[in-house]
Amino acid sequence: MQEKKTKPPCAVCKLVRIYLLVAVPIILVMWIRPEVSRLKGYDLTNIFSTLIAVMLVCTILWKAYHEFWKPKIDAARKNKN
C-alpha cells in the first residue's frame, strides 16, 4: 500500500479555523445576550482584569524560567555526564 503524503494546512486555513472556533461563538453569545443568574453580584471587570494579571505574571515567570534557569540546569546536566 502506498501512504498518502499530507501537506500541512496553510496559514489562511488555520486562521479561518481559529476564527470559526473562537470568534463566531463569542459573537453569538453577544447577540443572544443570555441572562446568567449565577453571575449576578460579581464584578466581571475585576475578575477579568485579575485573570489577565495572573496570566501575565505566569507568562513572565515561564519565560524567565526558559531564559535563565533552564539553560543553567541543562548545562549542569551536560557537564555532569
Side-chain angles (χ1 to χ4, degrees):
M1 273 207 276
Q2 189 178 21
E3 290 185 36
K4 285 186 176 181
K5 293 183 180 179
T6 59
K7 296 189 304 185
C10 66
V12 175
C13 297
K14 286 182 182 180
L15 186 62
V16 169
R17 287 181 189 146
I18 291 171
Y19 178 76
L20 291 174
L21 289 172
V22 175
V24 170
I26 290 174
I27 292 170
L28 187 64
V29 167
M30 290 173 57
W31 182 57
I32 294 174
R33 293 185 187 181
E35 185 66 33
V36 182
S37 61
R38 291 183 184 174
L39 296 178
K40 285 186 180 179
Y42 291 107
D43 188 7
L44 295 180
T45 305
N46 285 342
I47 292 171
F48 186 71
S49 62
T50 303
L51 179 67
I52 294 295
V54 167
M55 289 171 46
L56 174 69
V57 169
C58 288
T59 302
I60 290 171
L61 290 173
W62 180 256
K63 291 304 251 180
Y65 168 75
H66 276 281
E67 288 288 327
F68 301 112
W69 290 288
K70 190 169 189 228
K72 289 180 183 177
I73 292 170
D74 291 342
R77 285 182 185 161
K78 191 180 242 185
N79 289 336
K80 190 177 181 181
N81 292 333

